[in-house]
Amino acid sequence: MTMKVGMSACLAGVNCKYNGKNNYDSDLMERFKNDEIILICPEMEGGLPCPRIPCEIKEGRVIDANGQDHTQAFEEEALHALDRIKDCDLLVLQPRSPSCGVHEIYDGSFTNKRVPGSGIFAQKAKKLKIPLMEASTKKTI
């Protein structure tokens, strides 16, 4: 049975990460090769540049490495992406991302410290009751 799968674009090889690179995952692409895949990058869809200054979530706010608050932009970008995936059977998202992290995110100190939590897009996607799968763990919620 063919599914409609929303997927973080970086996992499919699109250079849309903050550093201008991607997180291509050949296992995921093989797993979903017979499904309809809708590529999403909430950050790029909302107009953020690539490359861009890295962001993390600190105390519920999206802050870049220079201390600038991008929460409003991330909220707006999430809404753009949600509209495109609202009828998907599954979302496969990039771990730890301030947009797409499902189970954990970086803590906002820019020291690679991880904490339980979800990115802005993932938070909103959970409300749609679409199953979410984090790419590296393959764990679905």
Side-chain angles (χ1 to χ4, degrees), residues 25-101:
D25 188 323
S26 59
D27 291 339
L28 280 177
M29 297 312 294
E30 177 65 22
R31 179 176 176 178
F32 297 109
K33 70 181 178 185
N34 295 319
D35 295 309
E36 179 184 351
I37 297 175
I38 309 296
L39 298 180
I40 52 167
C41 178
E43 295 169 24
M44 294 291 294
E45 289 184 33
L48 284 178
C50 184
R52 56 192 168 274
I53 298 170
C55 291
E56 295 184 2
I57 297 178
K58 182 176 184 174
E59 299 172 357
R61 307 296 298 171
V62 181
I63 309 297
D64 72 23
N66 294 333
Q68 186 174 8
D69 190 320
H70 294 275
T71 306
Q72 175 90 25
F74 273 66
E75 292 279 347
E76 291 171 8
E77 293 150 5
L79 294 177
H80 286 284
L82 281 175
D83 191 48
R84 293 195 325 106
I85 56 84
K86 62 186 173 216
D87 62 344
C88 286
D89 301 303
L90 175 69
L91 292 179
V92 182
L93 301 176
Q94 170 61 33
R96 301 172 302 278
S97 160
S99 289
C100 296

Side-chain angles (χ1 to χ4, degrees), residues 113-127:
K113 183 176 179 194
R114 301 173 188 182
V115 295
S118 299
I120 302 297
F121 174 73
Q123 291 171 26
K124 294 184 180 315
K126 285 178 183 181
K127 293 178 183 175

Side-chain angles (χ1 to χ4, degrees), residues 104-117:
E104 69 178 4
I105 54 174
Y106 292 109
D107 73 345
S109 66
F110 296 91
T111 60
N112 289 322
K113 183 176 179 194
R114 301 173 188 182
V115 295

